[in-house]
Amino acid sequence: MNTSVLSKEKDPMGTAIYDYFEHQESSKLKVFSSQFDEDEIPVKTLFRSFSQMPILEKEALKMASGKILDVGGGSGCHSLALQEMGKEVRAIDISPLSVETMKARGVKQADLINLFDPTFTDKFDTILLLMNGSGIIGKLENMADFFIKMKQLLHPNGSIILDSSDLKYLFEDEDGSFLIDIAGDYYGEVDFHMEYKEVKGDDFDWLYIDFQTLSLYASEYGFATELIREGKHYDYLARITQK
Ligand code: SAH
């Protein structure tokens, strides 16, 4: 498991966030993957307010309670909304420019920390992973490391709230059947790299996971998974608690 943080020279998303915050506009944040066509993240959407958030995220923020950890805070959109609700939140991110932006925007506790850093041992009641939050797990083979870390960071009655998507729709045939190579890697394991202006990031693994597979792994590591709500397009919000 990678436990380091990014350097500013390899932080395209952070540079885009910083640029947008400073100038209220930005260039294209390009996303490349060996599995998909080139895509783009509209940087403005990373600055969404509570009212602009998808319903699954609104639900997640309403449910979050006690001491909250916002994992991969980005521009701080979720942390700021939680602070406005009067909740206590700490944001962490591996992107130095995102952390700088979060602080400048008023996130009271924002730190440059990798979730998997062994020296990060604070305790929380709610751990939030949003915007395909399961992505940070990277690959299915990292599930053990992920749940071990969650156990360390959670108070006994605490919960993880995350959103993800079942990518099976990408493999759907015209007749409604699914063409998935079950002998191959899990279909939700994706590799990406991003580019913004002249800043090019390294490749990283990003995990999209269907609810059933998530529940099976969670159960193996002593957690129970609850489907809170489904979105419009194979996306869902789940709450995971210790059994
Ligand atoms: N939550 C924000 C940003 C989502 S993008 C939003 O919804 O808008 C994912 C974020 O996770 C990025 O800012 C990235 O830098 C951060 N990230 C990726 N891996 C991480 C890790 N291991 N620990 C902490 N943050 C991580």
Side-chain angles (χ1 to χ4, degrees), residues 59-72:
E59 187 80 35
L61 298 187
K62 284 186 203 153
M63 286 168 61
S65 64
K67 205 175 148 193
I68 305 163
L69 177 67
D70 178 9
V71 180

PDB file of all heavy atoms in Angstrom, residues 59-72:
ATOM      1  N   GLU A  59     -27.016  12.953   1.537  1.00  0.00           N
ATOM      2  CA  GLU A  59     -27.421  11.948   2.528  1.00  0.00           C
ATOM      3  C   GLU A  59     -26.232  11.595   3.435  1.00  0.00           C
ATOM      4  O   GLU A  59     -26.366  11.514   4.653  1.00  0.00           O
ATOM      5  CB  GLU A  59     -27.896  10.702   1.763  1.00  0.00           C
ATOM      6  CG  GLU A  59     -28.507   9.631   2.613  1.00  0.00           C
ATOM      7  CD  GLU A  59     -29.959   9.945   2.956  1.00  0.00           C
ATOM      8  OE1 GLU A  59     -30.664  10.523   2.122  1.00  0.00           O
ATOM      9  OE2 GLU A  59     -30.368   9.590   4.079  1.00  0.00           O
ATOM     10  N   ALA A  60     -25.067  11.385   2.822  1.00  0.00           N
ATOM     11  CA  ALA A  60     -23.869  11.022   3.590  1.00  0.00           C
ATOM     12  C   ALA A  60     -23.527  12.109   4.605  1.00  0.00           C
ATOM     13  O   ALA A  60     -23.223  11.824   5.767  1.00  0.00           O
ATOM     14  CB  ALA A  60     -22.688  10.798   2.638  1.00  0.00           C
ATOM     15  N   LEU A  61     -23.582  13.366   4.187  1.00  0.00           N
ATOM     16  CA  LEU A  61     -23.231  14.466   5.099  1.00  0.00           C
ATOM     17  C   LEU A  61     -24.242  14.578   6.237  1.00  0.00           C
ATOM     18  O   LEU A  61     -23.878  14.864   7.373  1.00  0.00           O
ATOM     19  CB  LEU A  61     -23.147  15.791   4.337  1.00  0.00           C
ATOM     20  CG  LEU A  61     -22.085  15.884   3.233  1.00  0.00           C
ATOM     21  CD1 LEU A  61     -22.015  17.306   2.691  1.00  0.00           C
ATOM     22  CD2 LEU A  61     -20.716  15.456   3.718  1.00  0.00           C
ATOM     23  N   LYS A  62     -25.520  14.344   5.921  1.00  0.00           N
ATOM     24  CA  LYS A  62     -26.547  14.406   6.969  1.00  0.00           C
ATOM     25  C   LYS A  62     -26.335  13.307   8.000  1.00  0.00           C
ATOM     26  O   LYS A  62     -26.571  13.480   9.188  1.00  0.00           O
ATOM     27  CB  LYS A  62     -27.941  14.265   6.358  1.00  0.00           C
ATOM     28  CG  LYS A  62     -28.416  15.521   5.655  1.00  0.00           C
ATOM     29  CD  LYS A  62     -29.872  15.317   5.219  1.00  0.00           C
ATOM     30  CE  LYS A  62     -30.239  16.241   4.076  1.00  0.00           C
ATOM     31  NZ  LYS A  62     -31.305  15.708   3.241  1.00  0.00           N
ATOM     32  N   MET A  63     -25.907  12.119   7.510  1.00  0.00           N
ATOM     33  CA  MET A  63     -25.732  10.976   8.411  1.00  0.00           C
ATOM     34  C   MET A  63     -24.474  11.076   9.275  1.00  0.00           C
ATOM     35  O   MET A  63     -24.408  10.460  10.339  1.00  0.00           O
ATOM     36  CB  MET A  63     -25.611   9.684   7.585  1.00  0.00           C
ATOM     37  CG  MET A  63     -26.916   9.220   6.988  1.00  0.00           C
ATOM     38  SD  MET A  63     -26.601   7.921   5.781  1.00  0.00           S
ATOM     39  CE  MET A  63     -25.842   6.694   6.805  1.00  0.00           C
ATOM     40  N   ALA A  64     -23.471  11.796   8.793  1.00  0.00           N
ATOM     41  CA  ALA A  64     -22.181  11.847   9.496  1.00  0.00           C
ATOM     42  C   ALA A  64     -22.360  12.468  10.875  1.00  0.00           C
ATOM     43  O   ALA A  64     -23.028  13.493  11.012  1.00  0.00           O
ATOM     44  CB  ALA A  64     -21.187  12.657   8.682  1.00  0.00           C
ATOM     45  N   SER A  65     -21.766  11.828  11.888  1.00  0.00           N
ATOM     46  CA  SER A  65     -21.934  12.350  13.243  1.00  0.00           C
ATOM     47  C   SER A  65     -20.657  12.187  14.051  1.00  0.00           C
ATOM     48  O   SER A  65     -19.745  11.461  13.657  1.00  0.00           O
ATOM     49  CB  SER A  65     -23.084  11.617  13.935  1.00  0.00           C
ATOM     50  OG  SER A  65     -22.744  10.256  14.071  1.00  0.00           O
ATOM     51  N   GLY A  66     -20.609  12.873  15.188  1.00  0.00           N
ATOM     52  CA  GLY A  66     -19.452  12.793  16.076  1.00  0.00           C
ATOM     53  C   GLY A  66     -18.234  13.416  15.421  1.00  0.00           C
ATOM     54  O   GLY A  66     -18.338  14.381  14.658  1.00  0.00           O
ATOM     55  N   LYS A  67     -17.086  12.818  15.701  1.00  0.00           N
ATOM     56  CA  LYS A  67     -15.838  13.308  15.103  1.00  0.00           C
ATOM     57  C   LYS A  67     -15.710  12.680  13.717  1.00  0.00           C
ATOM     58  O   LYS A  67     -15.681  11.454  13.588  1.00  0.00           O
ATOM     59  CB  LYS A  67     -14.681  12.896  16.017  1.00  0.00           C
ATOM     60  CG  LYS A  67     -13.491  13.783  15.897  1.00  0.00           C
ATOM     61  CD  LYS A  67     -12.440  13.390  16.928  1.00  0.00           C
ATOM     62  CE  LYS A  67     -11.084  13.668  16.326  1.00  0.00           C
ATOM     63  NZ  LYS A  67      -9.995  13.074  17.056  1.00  0.00           N
ATOM     64  N   ILE A  68     -15.668  13.514  12.683  1.00  0.00           N
ATOM     65  CA  ILE A  68     -15.729  13.023  11.299  1.00  0.00           C
ATOM     66  C   ILE A  68     -14.374  13.162  10.599  1.00  0.00           C
ATOM     67  O   ILE A  68     -13.702  14.184  10.734  1.00  0.00           O
ATOM     68  CB  ILE A  68     -16.792  13.827  10.502  1.00  0.00           C
ATOM     69  CG1 ILE A  68     -18.152  13.774  11.215  1.00  0.00           C
ATOM     70  CG2 ILE A  68     -16.905  13.325   9.063  1.00  0.00           C
ATOM     71  CD1 ILE A  68     -19.139  14.831  10.751  1.00  0.00           C
ATOM     72  N   LEU A  69     -14.002  12.134   9.843  1.00  0.00           N
ATOM     73  CA  LEU A  69     -12.798  12.208   8.990  1.00  0.00           C
ATOM     74  C   LEU A  69     -13.254  12.276   7.530  1.00  0.00           C
ATOM     75  O   LEU A  69     -13.959  11.391   7.053  1.00  0.00           O
ATOM     76  CB  LEU A  69     -11.916  10.970   9.202  1.00  0.00           C
ATOM     77  CG  LEU A  69     -10.666  10.897   8.298  1.00  0.00           C
ATOM     78  CD1 LEU A  69      -9.668  12.009   8.648  1.00  0.00           C
ATOM     79  CD2 LEU A  69      -9.972   9.533   8.419  1.00  0.00           C
ATOM     80  N   ASP A  70     -12.843  13.337   6.834  1.00  0.00           N
ATOM     81  CA  ASP A  70     -13.149  13.493   5.397  1.00  0.00           C
ATOM     82  C   ASP A  70     -11.894  13.028   4.647  1.00  0.00           C
ATOM     83  O   ASP A  70     -10.908  13.756   4.565  1.00  0.00           O
ATOM     84  CB  ASP A  70     -13.477  14.975   5.128  1.00  0.00           C
ATOM     85  CG  ASP A  70     -13.760  15.281   3.659  1.00  0.00           C
ATOM     86  OD1 ASP A  70     -13.884  14.338   2.856  1.00  0.00           O
ATOM     87  OD2 ASP A  70     -13.863  16.486   3.323  1.00  0.00           O
ATOM     88  N   VAL A  71     -11.933  11.818   4.127  1.00  0.00           N
ATOM     89  CA  VAL A  71     -10.755  11.238   3.475  1.00  0.00           C
ATOM     90  C   VAL A  71     -10.668  11.719   2.020  1.00  0.00           C
ATOM     91  O   VAL A  71     -11.604  11.543   1.255  1.00  0.00           O
ATOM     92  CB  VAL A  71     -10.804   9.692   3.495  1.00  0.00           C
ATOM     93  CG1 VAL A  71      -9.561   9.114   2.815  1.00  0.00           C
ATOM     94  CG2 VAL A  71     -10.928   9.159   4.906  1.00  0.00           C
ATOM     95  N   GLY A  72      -9.542  12.307   1.652  1.00  0.00           N
ATOM     96  CA  GLY A  72      -9.389  12.840   0.295  1.00  0.00           C
ATOM     97  C   GLY A  72     -10.281  14.053   0.123  1.00  0.00           C
ATOM     98  O   GLY A  72     -11.130  14.105  -0.756  1.00  0.00           O
TER      99      GLY A  72
END
